[in-house]
Amino acid sequence: MPEFIIDDSTDDAPLLSPIVDGLAKGRGAVERDYDAYPTEMFEPPSQMLLIPRSEWSARIKEQEERKSRISDVLRMANIPSMDQGSNGYCWSHSTVSSVQAVRAINNQPYVPLSAYMVAAIIKRGRNEGGWCGLSAKFLRENGVCSQAIWPQGNRSLSLDTAEARANAALHKVTEEWVDLTRGVADAELTFDQLATCLLSGVPCAVDHNWWSHSIMACDLVEVESGSFGVRIRNSWGDGWGDKGFSVLRGSKAIPDGALAIRVTGASPA
């Protein structure tokens, strides 16, 4: 199935009740509880120097010519789209997908990481929704282990062993996440911050309330002259979109929550 564009004219029904390869897929993003999880948990984007919109087209073209987009890196490294199955753990898959992308950008070997470890431990094995910042905190403090130790789809806390924790520590986020929505009331400013990250080769985990879903943002794209969107990678497997990729634009591209990951632990495995 070719990559497709999701915008304000798209029929949301197939996205809100997704069936991929004959199987129902989960979503699970919920609005962040700012009382329980205050914005001070994450670094603000106040020091971010925005790339002006007047430069976007040229920078996108340069990335395309050099094949340096995040999606290019993932394709060349043959890293498949993650698959959350029917559980509502998208909010951990978006961040763990970002960790895997950063590893690929840093020329580290591909290690299939277990987003199920992150969500299952946080939710004590329950199938519950969350938001990207919730899993980001866990990744910063604990890391995430490989799927060889904690298989995808398994929510059993019996897998929370010393071996799993030691392996997870190899894949920590070693620099702070930047909360792109902290203290920002202007949606366009949030989008410009997201665009700046993507043009700088920094993947972002993004939450969208209209979709009740959290995914990884990969690239800024120019759909038409002067019309920009965001290429995302979903967590519904390679059977969705173009091997998990699609493009959001218009109001559907503006995130309600967004976190940029800068550096992860430089472990070889």
Side-chain angles (χ1 to χ4, degrees):
M1 182 178 180
E3 184 175 59
F4 60 95
I5 296 172
I6 301 170
D7 59 19
D8 296 329
S9 67
T10 303
D11 178 8
D12 290 349
L15 298 172
L16 299 178
S17 301
I19 303 292
V20 181
D21 295 334
L23 299 174
K25 295 296 182 181
R27 293 178 291 142
V30 299
E31 291 189 45
R32 180 171 171 178
D33 183 346
Y34 280 90
D35 291 330
Y37 298 90
T39 53
E40 286 73 23
M41 182 185 300
F42 305 106
E43 179 182 338
S46 57
Q47 302 304 311
M48 181 181 294
L49 297 177
L50 296 179
I51 296 174
R53 289 189 174 224
S54 60
E55 296 181 13
W56 286 7
S57 294
R59 287 180 180 251
I60 290 171
K61 184 177 180 181
E62 181 182 10
Q63 283 187 328
E64 291 173 345
E65 290 175 347
R66 293 185 175 183
K67 294 191 180 300
S68 62
R69 298 170 297 184
I70 296 170
S71 62
D72 293 324
V73 174
L74 293 170
R75 290 180 191 275
M76 288 186 290
N78 293 315
I79 296 178
S81 175
M82 298 194 76
D83 193 341
Q84 70 184 81
S86 61
N87 288 285
Y89 283 174
C90 59
W91 50 278
S92 62
H93 284 73
S94 59
T95 53
V96 172
S97 293
S98 297
V99 170
Q100 291 189 151
V102 170
R103 287 178 59 85
I105 292 166
N106 291 340
N107 295 313
Q108 295 172 259
Y110 169 53
V111 178
L113 299 174
S114 178
Y116 266 77
M117 175 202 188
V118 177
I121 291 177
I122 292 172
K123 294 297 183 176
R124 304 306 301 162
R126 298 183 299 272
N127 178 16
E128 294 181 353
W131 56 96
C132 60
L134 193 60
S135 56
K137 180 177 183 293
F138 186 94
L139 289 169
R140 187 186 65 220
E141 295 174 351
N142 303 282
V144 53
C145 75
S146 74
Q147 294 180 20
I149 296 174
W150 194 307
Q152 281 284 96
N154 195 323
R155 294 188 276 121
S156 174
L157 293 180
S158 66
L159 297 171
D160 188 8
T161 62
E163 178 189 13
R165 293 285 182 155
N167 187 262
L170 299 175
H171 315 115
K172 277 187 178 181
V173 173
T174 56
E175 286 194 22
E176 185 59 273
W177 293 72
V178 178
D179 187 348
L180 302 183
T181 53
R182 175 177 173 181
V184 174
D186 186 339
E188 286 197 10
L189 178 57
T190 300
F191 187 81
D192 284 22
Q193 291 172 339
L194 177 62
T196 294
C197 289
L198 301 182
L199 290 173
S200 303
V202 178
C204 297
V206 293
D207 298 339
H208 290 279
N209 292 344
W210 69 267
W211 204 356
S212 299
H213 201 34
S214 184
I215 60 274
M216 175 175 63
C218 298
D219 315 318
L220 185 69
V221 298
E222 189 165 16
V223 181
E224 300 166 348
S225 180
S227 175
F228 299 94
V230 174
R231 178 172 291 112
I232 61 165
R233 197 166 213 197
N234 208 338
S235 53
W236 292 342
D238 281 354
W240 184 86
D242 175 17
K243 293 190 178 299
F245 294 104
S246 185
V247 172
L248 303 181
R249 75 165 171 174
S251 66
K252 284 185 165 60
I254 299 173
D256 297 289
L259 292 166
I261 181 174
R262 296 192 299 193
V263 179
T264 65
S267 65

